[in-house]
Coordinates of all heavy atoms in Angstrom, one line a residue:
M1 N 1.8 1.1 17.0 CA 1.4 2.0 15.9 C 0.5 1.3 14.9 O -0.4 1.9 14.4 CB 2.6 2.7 15.3 CG 2.2 3.6 14.2 SD 3.7 4.3 13.6 CE 3.1 5.1 12.1
H2 N 0.9 0.1 14.5 CA 0.2 -0.5 13.4 C -0.8 -1.6 13.8 O -1.6 -2.1 13.0 CB 1.2 -1.2 12.5 CG 2.1 -0.2 11.8 ND1 1.7 0.6 10.8 CD2 3.4 0.1 12.0 CE1 2.7 1.4 10.4 NE2 3.7 1.1 11.1
N3 N -0.9 -1.9 15.1 CA -2.0 -2.8 15.6 C -2.1 -4.0 14.8 O -3.2 -4.3 14.3 CB -3.3 -2.0 15.7 CG -3.2 -0.8 16.7 OD1 -2.5 -0.9 17.6 ND2 -3.9 0.2 16.3
N4 N -1.1 -4.8 14.6 CA -1.1 -6.0 13.8 C -1.6 -5.8 12.4 O -2.3 -6.7 11.9 CB -1.9 -7.1 14.6 CG -1.3 -7.4 15.9 OD1 -0.1 -7.5 16.0 ND2 -2.2 -7.6 16.9
F5 N -1.3 -4.7 11.8 CA -1.8 -4.3 10.5 C -1.4 -5.4 9.5 O -2.2 -5.8 8.7 CB -1.2 -3.0 10.1 CG -1.4 -2.6 8.7 CD1 -2.7 -2.3 8.2 CD2 -0.4 -2.6 7.8 CE1 -2.9 -1.9 6.9 CE2 -0.6 -2.2 6.5 CZ -1.8 -1.9 6.0
D6 N -0.2 -5.8 9.5 CA 0.3 -6.8 8.5 C -0.5 -8.1 8.6 O -0.9 -8.7 7.6 CB 1.8 -7.0 8.6 CG 2.3 -7.5 10.0 OD1 1.5 -7.3 11.0 OD2 3.4 -8.0 10.1
Q7 N -0.7 -8.6 9.9 CA -1.4 -9.8 10.0 C -2.9 -9.7 9.5 O -3.4 -10.6 8.9 CB -1.4 -10.2 11.5 CG 0.0 -10.6 12.0 CD 0.0 -10.8 13.5 OE1 -1.0 -10.6 14.2 NE2 1.2 -11.1 14.0
K8 N -3.5 -8.6 9.8 CA -4.9 -8.4 9.3 C -4.9 -8.4 7.8 O -5.8 -9.0 7.2 CB -5.4 -7.1 9.9 CG -5.7 -7.0 11.3 CD -6.2 -5.7 11.8 CE -6.2 -5.6 13.3 NZ -6.6 -4.2 13.7
L9 N -4.0 -7.7 7.2 CA -4.0 -7.6 5.7 C -3.7 -8.9 5.1 O -4.3 -9.3 4.1 CB -2.9 -6.5 5.3 CG -3.0 -6.0 3.9 CD1 -4.4 -5.4 3.6 CD2 -1.9 -5.0 3.6
I10 N -2.8 -9.7 5.7 CA -2.4 -11.0 5.1 C -3.6 -12.0 5.3 O -3.9 -12.8 4.5 CB -1.1 -11.5 5.8 CG1 0.1 -10.7 5.3 CG2 -0.9 -13.0 5.5 CD1 1.3 -11.0 6.1
R11 N -4.3 -11.8 6.4 CA -5.5 -12.7 6.7 C -6.6 -12.5 5.7 O -7.2 -13.4 5.1 CB -6.0 -12.5 8.1 CG -7.0 -13.5 8.5 CD -7.5 -13.3 10.0 NE -6.6 -12.6 10.8 CZ -6.9 -11.5 11.5 NH1 -8.1 -11.0 11.4 NH2 -6.0 -10.9 12.3
V12 N -6.8 -11.2 5.3 CA -7.9 -10.9 4.4 C -7.4 -11.1 2.9 O -8.2 -11.6 2.1 CB -8.3 -9.4 4.6 CG1 -9.4 -9.0 3.6 CG2 -8.9 -9.2 6.0
Y13 N -6.1 -10.8 2.7 CA -5.6 -11.0 1.3 C -4.3 -11.8 1.4 O -3.2 -11.3 1.4 CB -5.3 -9.6 0.7 CG -6.5 -8.7 0.6 CD1 -6.7 -7.7 1.6 CD2 -7.3 -8.8 -0.4 CE1 -7.8 -6.9 1.5 CE2 -8.5 -8.0 -0.5 CZ -8.7 -7.1 0.5 OH -9.8 -6.3 0.4
P14 N -4.5 -13.1 1.4 CA -3.3 -14.0 1.7 C -2.3 -14.0 0.5 O -1.2 -14.4 0.7 CB -4.0 -15.4 1.8 CG -5.3 -15.3 1.3 CD -5.7 -13.9 1.4
D15 N -2.7 -13.6 -0.7 CA -1.8 -13.6 -1.8 C -1.0 -12.3 -1.9 O -0.3 -12.1 -2.9 CB -2.5 -13.9 -3.1 CG -3.6 -12.8 -3.4 OD1 -4.1 -12.2 -2.5 OD2 -4.0 -12.7 -4.6
I16 N -1.1 -11.4 -0.9 CA -0.3 -10.1 -1.0 C 1.2 -10.4 -0.9 O 1.6 -11.2 -0.1 CB -0.8 -9.1 0.1 CG1 -0.3 -7.7 -0.2 CG2 -0.4 -9.6 1.5 CD1 -1.0 -6.7 0.6
T17 N 2.0 -9.7 -1.7 CA 3.4 -9.9 -1.7 C 4.1 -9.1 -0.6 O 3.5 -8.1 -0.1 CB 4.0 -9.6 -3.0 OG1 3.9 -8.2 -3.3 CG2 3.4 -10.4 -4.1
E18 N 5.3 -9.4 -0.3 CA 6.1 -8.6 0.6 C 6.3 -7.1 0.2 O 6.1 -6.2 1.0 CB 7.5 -9.3 0.8 CG 8.2 -8.8 2.0 CD 9.5 -9.7 2.2 OE1 9.4 -10.9 2.2 OE2 10.5 -9.0 2.4
N19 N 6.5 -6.9 -1.1 CA 6.6 -5.5 -1.6 C 5.3 -4.8 -1.5 O 5.3 -3.6 -1.2 CB 7.1 -5.6 -3.0 CG 8.6 -5.9 -3.2 OD1 9.3 -5.8 -2.2 ND2 9.0 -6.4 -4.3
E20 N 4.2 -5.5 -1.8 CA 2.9 -4.8 -1.7 C 2.6 -4.5 -0.2 O 2.0 -3.4 0.1 CB 1.8 -5.7 -2.2 CG 1.9 -5.8 -3.7 CD 1.0 -6.9 -4.3 OE1 0.7 -7.9 -3.6 OE2 0.7 -6.8 -5.5
L21 N 3.0 -5.3 0.7 CA 2.8 -5.1 2.1 C 3.6 -3.9 2.6 O 3.1 -3.0 3.3 CB 3.2 -6.3 2.9 CG 2.8 -6.3 4.4 CD1 1.4 -6.2 4.6 CD2 3.3 -7.6 5.0
R22 N 4.9 -3.8 2.1 CA 5.7 -2.6 2.4 C 5.1 -1.3 1.9 O 5.1 -0.3 2.6 CB 7.1 -2.9 1.8 CG 8.1 -1.7 2.1 CD 9.4 -2.0 1.7 NE 9.5 -2.7 0.4 CZ 10.6 -3.1 -0.2 NH1 11.7 -2.9 0.4 NH2 10.5 -3.7 -1.3
L23 N 4.6 -1.4 0.7 CA 3.9 -0.2 0.1 C 2.7 0.2 0.9 O 2.5 1.4 1.2 CB 3.5 -0.5 -1.4 CG 2.8 0.7 -2.1 CD1 3.6 1.9 -2.1 CD2 2.3 0.2 -3.5
A24 N 1.9 -0.8 1.3 CA 0.8 -0.6 2.2 C 1.2 0.2 3.5 O 0.5 1.1 3.9 CB 0.0 -1.9 2.4
Y25 N 2.3 -0.3 4.1 CA 2.8 0.4 5.3 C 3.0 1.9 5.0 O 2.7 2.8 5.7 CB 4.0 -0.2 5.8 CG 3.8 -1.3 6.8 CD1 4.2 -2.6 6.5 CD2 3.3 -1.1 8.0 CE1 4.1 -3.7 7.4 CE2 3.1 -2.1 8.9 CZ 3.5 -3.4 8.6 OH 3.4 -4.4 9.5
F26 N 3.8 2.1 3.9 CA 4.1 3.5 3.5 C 2.9 4.4 3.3 O 2.8 5.5 3.7 CB 5.0 3.5 2.3 CG 6.4 3.0 2.5 CD1 7.1 2.4 1.5 CD2 7.0 3.1 3.8 CE1 8.4 1.9 1.7 CE2 8.3 2.7 4.0 CZ 9.0 2.0 3.0
V27 N 1.9 3.8 2.6 CA 0.7 4.5 2.3 C -0.1 4.8 3.6 O -0.5 5.9 3.8 CB -0.2 3.8 1.3 CG1 -1.6 4.4 1.2 CG2 0.5 3.7 -0.1
R28 N -0.1 3.8 4.4 CA -0.8 4.0 5.7 C -0.1 5.1 6.6 O -0.8 5.7 7.4 CB -0.8 2.7 6.5 CG -1.7 2.7 7.7 CD -2.1 1.3 8.1 NE -3.1 1.3 9.1 CZ -2.9 0.8 10.3 NH1 -1.8 0.2 10.7 NH2 -3.9 0.9 11.2
M29 N 1.2 5.2 6.4 CA 1.9 6.3 7.2 C 1.8 7.6 6.5 O 2.4 8.6 7.0 CB 3.4 5.9 7.2 CG 3.6 4.7 8.1 SD 5.3 3.9 8.1 CE 6.4 5.3 7.7
K30 N 1.0 7.7 5.4 CA 0.7 9.0 4.7 C 2.0 9.6 4.1 O 2.1 10.8 4.0 CB 0.0 10.0 5.6 CG -1.4 9.8 5.9 CD -2.0 11.0 6.5 CE -3.5 10.9 6.3 NZ -4.2 12.1 6.8
L31 N 2.9 8.7 3.6 CA 4.0 9.2 2.9 C 3.6 9.5 1.4 O 2.8 8.8 0.8 CB 5.1 8.2 2.9 CG 5.7 7.9 4.2 CD1 6.8 6.8 4.1 CD2 6.3 9.1 4.9
S32 N 4.2 10.6 0.9 CA 3.9 11.0 -0.5 C 4.6 10.0 -1.4 O 5.5 9.2 -1.1 CB 4.4 12.4 -0.8 OG 5.8 12.4 -0.8
T33 N 4.1 10.0 -2.7 CA 4.7 9.2 -3.7 C 6.1 9.5 -3.9 O 6.9 8.5 -4.0 CB 3.9 9.4 -5.0 OG1 2.5 9.0 -4.8 CG2 4.5 8.5 -6.1
R34 N 6.5 10.7 -3.8 CA 7.9 11.1 -4.0 C 8.8 10.6 -2.9 O 9.9 10.1 -3.1 CB 8.1 12.6 -4.1 CG 7.6 13.1 -5.4 CD 7.9 14.6 -5.5 NE 7.8 15.0 -6.9 CZ 8.5 16.0 -7.4 NH1 9.3 16.7 -6.6 NH2 8.4 16.3 -8.6
K35 N 8.3 10.6 -1.6 CA 9.0 10.1 -0.5 C 9.2 8.6 -0.5 O 10.3 8.1 -0.3 CB 8.4 10.6 0.8 CG 8.5 12.0 1.1 CD 8.0 12.3 2.5 CE 8.1 13.8 2.8 NZ 7.5 14.2 4.1
I36 N 8.1 8.0 -0.9 CA 8.2 6.5 -1.1 C 9.2 6.1 -2.1 O 10.0 5.2 -2.0 CB 6.8 5.9 -1.4 CG1 5.8 6.1 -0.2 CG2 6.9 4.4 -1.7 CD1 4.4 5.8 -0.5
A37 N 9.2 6.8 -3.3 CA 10.1 6.6 -4.4 C 11.5 6.8 -3.9 O 12.4 6.0 -4.2 CB 9.8 7.5 -5.6
A38 N 11.8 7.8 -3.2 CA 13.1 8.1 -2.7 C 13.6 7.0 -1.7 O 14.8 6.6 -1.8 CB 13.2 9.5 -2.0
M39 N 12.7 6.6 -0.9 CA 13.1 5.5 0.1 C 13.4 4.2 -0.6 O 14.3 3.4 -0.1 CB 12.0 5.3 1.1 CG 11.8 6.5 2.1 SD 10.4 6.4 3.1 CE 10.9 5.0 4.2
L40 N 12.7 3.9 -1.7 CA 12.8 2.6 -2.4 C 13.8 2.7 -3.5 O 14.1 1.7 -4.2 CB 11.5 2.2 -2.9 CG 10.4 1.9 -1.8 CD1 9.1 1.5 -2.5 CD2 10.9 0.8 -0.9
H41 N 14.3 3.9 -3.8 CA 15.3 4.2 -4.9 C 14.7 3.8 -6.2 O 15.3 3.1 -7.0 CB 16.6 3.4 -4.6 CG 17.2 3.8 -3.3 ND1 17.8 5.0 -3.1 CD2 17.4 3.0 -2.2 CE1 18.3 5.0 -1.8 NE2 18.0 3.8 -1.3
V42 N 13.5 4.3 -6.5 CA 12.8 4.0 -7.7 C 12.2 5.4 -8.2 O 12.2 6.3 -7.5 CB 11.7 3.0 -7.6 CG1 12.3 1.6 -7.3 CG2 10.6 3.4 -6.6
Q43 N 11.7 5.4 -9.4 CA 11.0 6.5 -9.9 C 9.6 6.7 -9.3 O 9.0 5.7 -9.1 CB 10.9 6.4 -11.5 CG 12.2 6.4 -12.2 CD 13.0 7.7 -12.0 OE1 12.4 8.8 -12.1 NE2 14.3 7.6 -11.8
P44 N 9.1 7.9 -9.2 CA 7.7 8.1 -8.7 C 6.7 7.4 -9.5 O 5.7 6.9 -9.0 CB 7.6 9.6 -8.7 CG 8.9 10.2 -8.6 CD 9.8 9.2 -9.3
E45 N 6.9 7.3 -10.8 CA 6.0 6.6 -11.7 C 5.8 5.1 -11.3 O 4.8 4.5 -11.4 CB 6.4 6.8 -13.2 CG 5.4 6.2 -14.1 CD 4.0 6.8 -14.1 OE1 3.9 8.0 -13.7 OE2 3.0 6.1 -14.4
S46 N 6.9 4.5 -10.9 CA 6.9 3.1 -10.5 C 6.0 3.0 -9.2 O 5.3 2.0 -9.1 CB 8.3 2.6 -10.2 OG 9.1 2.7 -11.3
V47 N 6.1 3.9 -8.3 CA 5.3 3.9 -7.1 C 3.8 4.0 -7.5 O 3.0 3.4 -6.9 CB 5.7 5.0 -6.1 CG1 4.8 5.0 -4.9 CG2 7.2 4.7 -5.7
R48 N 3.5 5.0 -8.4 CA 2.1 5.2 -8.8 C 1.6 3.9 -9.4 O 0.4 3.5 -9.1 CB 2.0 6.3 -9.9 CG 2.2 7.6 -9.3 CD 1.9 8.7 -10.3 NE 2.6 9.9 -9.9 CZ 3.8 10.3 -10.3 NH1 4.4 9.6 -11.2 NH2 4.3 11.4 -9.8
K49 N 2.4 3.2 -10.2 CA 1.9 1.9 -10.8 C 1.7 0.9 -9.8 O 0.7 0.1 -9.8 CB 2.9 1.4 -11.9 CG 2.9 2.2 -13.1 CD 4.0 1.7 -14.1 CE 4.0 2.6 -15.3 NZ 5.1 2.2 -16.2
S50 N 2.6 0.8 -8.8 CA 2.5 -0.1 -7.7 C 1.2 0.1 -6.9 O 0.5 -0.8 -6.5 CB 3.7 -0.1 -6.8 OG 4.8 -0.5 -7.5
R51 N 0.9 1.4 -6.6 CA -0.3 1.8 -5.9 C -1.5 1.3 -6.6 O -2.5 0.8 -6.1 CB -0.3 3.3 -5.6 CG 0.7 3.8 -4.6 CD 0.7 5.3 -4.6 NE -0.6 5.8 -4.1 CZ -0.8 6.4 -3.0 NH1 0.2 6.5 -2.1 NH2 -2.0 6.8 -2.7
Y52 N -1.5 1.5 -8.0 CA -2.6 1.1 -8.8 C -2.8 -0.4 -8.7 O -3.9 -0.9 -8.6 CB -2.4 1.6 -10.2 CG -3.4 1.1 -11.2 CD1 -4.6 1.7 -11.3 CD2 -3.1 0.0 -12.1 CE1 -5.6 1.2 -12.2 CE2 -4.1 -0.4 -13.0 CZ -5.3 0.2 -13.0 OH -6.3 -0.3 -13.9
R53 N -1.7 -1.1 -8.8 CA -1.8 -2.6 -8.8 C -2.3 -3.1 -7.4 O -3.0 -4.0 -7.3 CB -0.5 -3.2 -9.1 CG -0.1 -3.1 -10.6 CD 1.2 -3.9 -10.9 NE 1.8 -3.4 -12.1 CZ 2.9 -2.8 -12.2 NH1 3.6 -2.6 -11.1 NH2 3.4 -2.3 -13.3
L54 N -1.8 -2.4 -6.4 CA -2.3 -2.8 -5.0 C -3.8 -2.5 -4.9 O -4.5 -3.3 -4.3 CB -1.5 -2.0 -4.0 CG -1.9 -2.2 -2.5 CD1 -1.6 -3.7 -2.2 CD2 -1.0 -1.3 -1.6
K55 N -4.3 -1.4 -5.4 CA -5.7 -1.1 -5.3 C -6.5 -2.2 -6.1 O -7.5 -2.6 -5.6 CB -6.0 0.3 -5.9 CG -5.7 1.4 -5.0 CD -6.0 2.7 -5.6 CE -7.5 3.0 -5.6 NZ -7.8 4.4 -6.0
Q56 N -6.0 -2.6 -7.2 CA -6.6 -3.7 -8.0 C -6.7 -5.0 -7.1 O -7.7 -5.6 -7.1 CB -5.9 -4.0 -9.3 CG -6.2 -2.9 -10.3 CD -5.6 -3.3 -11.6 OE1 -4.4 -3.8 -11.7 NE2 -6.3 -3.1 -12.7
K57 N -5.6 -5.3 -6.5 CA -5.5 -6.5 -5.7 C -6.5 -6.5 -4.5 O -7.0 -7.5 -4.1 CB -4.1 -6.8 -5.3 CG -3.9 -8.1 -4.6 CD -2.5 -8.4 -4.3 CE -2.0 -9.3 -5.4 NZ -0.6 -9.9 -5.1
L58 N -6.7 -5.3 -4.0 CA -7.5 -5.1 -2.8 C -9.0 -4.9 -3.3 O -9.8 -4.6 -2.4 CB -7.0 -4.0 -2.0 CG -5.6 -4.1 -1.4 CD1 -5.3 -2.8 -0.6 CD2 -5.5 -5.3 -0.5
D59 N -9.3 -5.0 -4.5 CA -10.6 -4.8 -5.1 C -11.2 -3.5 -4.8 O -12.4 -3.3 -4.5 CB -11.6 -5.9 -4.6 CG -11.2 -7.3 -5.1 OD1 -10.7 -7.4 -6.2 OD2 -11.3 -8.2 -4.3
L60 N -10.4 -2.4 -4.9 CA -10.8 -1.1 -4.7 C -11.0 -0.4 -6.1 O -10.2 -0.6 -7.0 CB -9.8 -0.2 -3.9 CG -9.5 -0.7 -2.5 CD1 -8.4 0.1 -1.9 CD2 -10.7 -0.7 -1.7
G61 N -12.0 0.4 -6.2 CA -12.3 1.1 -7.4 C -11.5 2.4 -7.6 O -10.7 2.7 -6.7
K62 N -11.6 3.0 -8.7 CA -10.8 4.2 -9.0 C -11.1 5.3 -8.0 O -10.3 6.1 -7.6 CB -11.2 4.7 -10.4 CG -10.1 5.5 -11.1 CD -10.4 5.7 -12.5 CE -9.2 6.1 -13.3 NZ -9.4 6.3 -14.7
E63 N -12.4 5.4 -7.6 CA -12.8 6.5 -6.7 C -12.5 6.2 -5.2 O -12.6 7.0 -4.4 CB -14.3 6.7 -6.8 CG -15.2 5.6 -6.4 CD -15.3 4.4 -7.4 OE1 -14.9 4.6 -8.5 OE2 -15.8 3.4 -7.0
D64 N -12.1 4.9 -4.9 CA -11.8 4.5 -3.5 C -10.5 5.0 -3.1 O -9.5 5.0 -3.9 CB -11.9 3.0 -3.3 CG -13.3 2.4 -3.6 OD1 -14.2 3.1 -3.1 OD2 -13.4 1.3 -4.1
N65 N -10.4 5.5 -1.8 CA -9.2 6.0 -1.3 C -8.4 4.9 -0.6 O -8.8 4.2 0.3 CB -9.5 7.1 -0.3 CG -8.3 7.8 0.2 OD1 -7.3 7.2 0.7 ND2 -8.3 9.1 0.2
L66 N -7.2 4.6 -1.1 CA -6.3 3.6 -0.6 C -5.9 3.8 0.8 O -6.0 2.9 1.6 CB -5.1 3.4 -1.5 CG -4.1 2.3 -1.1 CD1 -4.8 0.9 -1.2 CD2 -2.9 2.3 -2.1
Y67 N -5.6 5.1 1.1 CA -5.2 5.4 2.5 C -6.4 5.1 3.5 O -6.2 4.5 4.5 CB -4.7 6.8 2.7 CG -4.6 7.2 4.1 CD1 -3.6 6.8 4.9 CD2 -5.6 8.0 4.7 CE1 -3.5 7.1 6.2 CE2 -5.6 8.3 6.1 CZ -4.5 7.9 6.8 OH -4.4 8.2 8.2
A68 N -7.5 5.6 3.1 CA -8.7 5.4 4.0 C -9.0 3.9 4.2 O -9.3 3.5 5.3 CB -9.9 6.1 3.4
F69 N -8.9 3.1 3.2 CA -9.1 1.7 3.3 C -8.1 1.0 4.2 O -8.5 0.3 5.1 CB -9.0 1.0 1.9 CG -9.1 -0.5 1.9 CD1 -10.4 -1.1 2.1 CD2 -8.0 -1.3 1.9 CE1 -10.5 -2.5 2.1 CE2 -8.1 -2.6 1.9 CZ -9.4 -3.2 2.0
L70 N -6.8 1.4 4.0 CA -5.8 0.8 4.8 C -5.8 1.2 6.3 O -5.6 0.5 7.2 CB -4.4 1.0 4.2 CG -4.1 0.4 2.9 CD1 -2.8 0.9 2.3 CD2 -4.1 -1.1 3.0
A71 N -6.2 2.5 6.5 CA -6.3 3.0 7.8 C -7.5 2.4 8.6 O -7.4 2.3 9.8 CB -6.5 4.5 7.8
G72 N -8.5 1.9 7.9 CA -9.6 1.2 8.5 C -9.4 -0.2 8.9 O -10.2 -0.8 9.6
L73 N -8.3 -0.8 8.5 CA -8.0 -2.2 8.9 C -7.6 -2.3 10.3 O -6.9 -1.5 10.9 CB -6.9 -2.8 8.0 CG -7.4 -3.1 6.6 CD1 -6.2 -3.7 5.8 CD2 -8.5 -4.2 6.6

């Protein structure tokens, strides 16, 4: 299903953390912020902040779609 997604992401962004990698998986699976928050036992606002930080780390702009970027890897 993921076609070595984690290896590709780590190769391109070697400083990505384990939590960011897990969030990237959830985003790539098209899970909503609320579902991700429920799975991680955190508030949805925490997930939104984490998505924002992940976009920054991946050098994506505000208008760039995180799902589309991750799906393209």
Side-chain angles (χ1 to χ4, degrees):
M1 177 180 169
H2 294 289
N3 298 327
N4 298 322
F5 170 72
D6 57 343
Q7 293 172 358
K8 291 177 188 175
L9 196 57
I10 291 170
R11 190 173 340 119
V12 177
Y13 301 97
D15 60 336
I16 194 164
T17 67
E18 197 172 308
N19 287 337
E20 291 168 336
L21 189 59
R22 181 174 39 183
L23 177 62
Y25 270 116
F26 290 149
V27 170
R28 191 164 189 236
M29 292 170 30
K30 283 193 162 186
L31 295 179
S32 70
T33 299
R34 284 183 164 211
K35 286 184 182 179
I36 295 170
M39 291 174 68
L40 298 177
H41 305 290
V42 297
Q43 296 294 317
E45 185 61 29
S46 297
V47 175
R48 284 187 206 96
K49 288 178 184 177
S50 295
R51 287 172 63 107
Y52 174 76
R53 287 188 201 112
L54 180 59
K55 282 180 75 169
Q56 284 184 320
K57 187 172 263 191
L58 301 177
D59 295 324
L60 299 177
K62 204 172 201 178
E63 66 284 345
D64 294 323
N65 185 311
L66 182 59
Y67 168 75
F69 175 80
L70 295 173
L73 285 179

